[in-house]
Amino acid sequence: MSALTIGQVAERTGFSTSALRYYEGLGLVTPTTRTEASYRVYDDDAVTRLGFIARAKQLGCSLDEIRDLLGMWDRDRCAPVQRRFHELVTEKIHATQQQIVELIAFASQLQTAAAHLGGPSMDGPCGDDCACLERAGDADATPTPVLLMTSAPSDPPIACTLQPGALPERMADWQAVLASARERSRTADGRLRIEFAGDVDVAELARLATAEQECCTFFSFALTVDGRGIALEVGAPDTATEIVSAVFGNPS
């Protein structure tokens, strides 16, 4: 078993020595022993443990959540750790998707306001009828497509014309269908392939794909039924990779 100094552990794990001392104070990781000069000594198990901590942090787990996971880790049974880790990551997927919905709605408000503010200004001081005070959400305002991100000149614009108020329902519809997904992978041309269990509602899947392509023209969909089962292939420009991941998930 290796005997590693704090500096060696920092080099292997990417954590700073101050972070390692901080985690020690929180009880997340402890040195195997100390030398007579009180230098910390770690072993390979500590490095593995820190790798798990780094993974959990990367996936957005708080220190309290990591502490709970490590409590299960210390019982030397992987199944409870993996099950709880899966629950936490799934919760964060839902929270992230809700944040995306809220940000898209906010982007729509900003773009509508920008359209008003970019018009001609009034003579004299600001007043009730000027663009500075007109609310972006006024009923008579003309909605503008929400630009989600820029794209290459040859690609369709990464924009969505779905009204912000309809986004939560659309996301909920996708989540209901995607609950039947059993595997995600990449095709040879880089499309996301989602394979479904046999009881998936194919008609609903086709309806959602059609509706999504109408409001987000940068998406392309292919619904396949073959010897491998039922699958939906999702294509999009490279600049929309994060959107595809947020809505449809990542390869298993």
Side-chain angles (χ1 to χ4, degrees):
M1 183 175 292
S2 300
L4 305 169
T5 66
I6 191 171
Q8 290 171 323
V9 172
E11 184 176 352
R12 285 197 185 188
T13 63
F15 288 113
S16 65
T17 56
S18 59
L20 294 176
R21 295 187 185 96
Y22 178 62
Y23 290 157
E24 179 183 349
L26 294 176
L28 300 183
V29 64
T30 56
T32 308
T33 187
R34 286 178 181 263
T35 66
E36 292 182 359
S38 294
Y39 291 118
R40 296 169 174 81
V41 177
Y42 299 84
D43 59 15
D44 291 330
D45 288 342
V47 173
T48 301
R49 186 184 184 91
L50 285 163
F52 176 75
I53 292 173
R55 177 62 170 160
K57 281 176 61 64
Q58 180 187 45
L59 295 175
C61 290
S62 67
L63 289 177
D64 285 340
E65 290 169 339
I66 292 173
R67 183 183 289 107
D68 290 341
L69 288 169
L70 289 174
M72 299 176 187
W73 174 287
D74 290 335
R75 296 170 196 155
D76 293 328
R77 292 185 63 240
C78 178
V81 180
Q82 182 172 330
R83 187 163 52 247
R84 179 55 182 153
F85 203 2
H86 178 266
E87 291 173 355
L88 288 171
V89 170
T90 301
E91 291 170 4
K92 294 180 191 305
I93 289 172
H94 295 158
T96 300
Q97 289 171 335
Q98 182 58 39
Q99 289 173 0
I100 290 171
V101 169
E102 293 170 355
L103 286 171
I104 291 174
F106 183 50
S108 178
Q109 294 177 23
L110 290 173
Q111 291 183 359
T112 301
H116 284 290
L117 291 167
S121 60
M122 294 178 55
D123 290 332
C126 292
D128 291 340
D129 296 330
C130 80
C132 299
L133 296 178
E134 187 172 5
R135 292 184 296 117
D138 285 345
D140 60 347
T142 302
T144 57
V146 180
L147 183 64
L148 304 180
M149 60 180 66
T150 57
S151 57
S154 59
D155 291 330
I158 311 304
C160 179
T161 59
L162 188 66
Q163 296 302 304
L167 285 169
E169 182 178 356
R170 174 66 59 79
M171 293 294 287
D173 287 345
W174 272 120
Q175 286 305 303
V177 171
L178 292 171
S180 298
R182 64 185 183 187
E183 184 177 353
R184 292 172 173 82
S185 60
R186 290 287 178 194
T187 63
D189 60 357
R191 295 163 68 88
L192 176 66
R193 177 181 171 85
I194 309 171
E195 296 185 12
F196 292 89
D199 60 352
V200 66
D201 188 337
V202 178
E204 175 66 359
L205 189 57
R207 181 193 72 80
L208 277 175
T210 301
E212 195 69 36
Q213 208 284 322
E214 287 176 351
C215 67
C216 298
T217 57
F218 60 91
F219 279 132
S220 63
F221 298 95
L223 184 59
T224 64
V225 182
D226 54 29
R228 295 174 293 177
I230 301 167
L232 179 69
E233 294 182 0
V234 184
D238 291 342
T239 48
T241 299
E242 292 183 3
I243 297 173
V244 173
S245 298
V247 178
F248 301 102
N250 289 304
S252 305

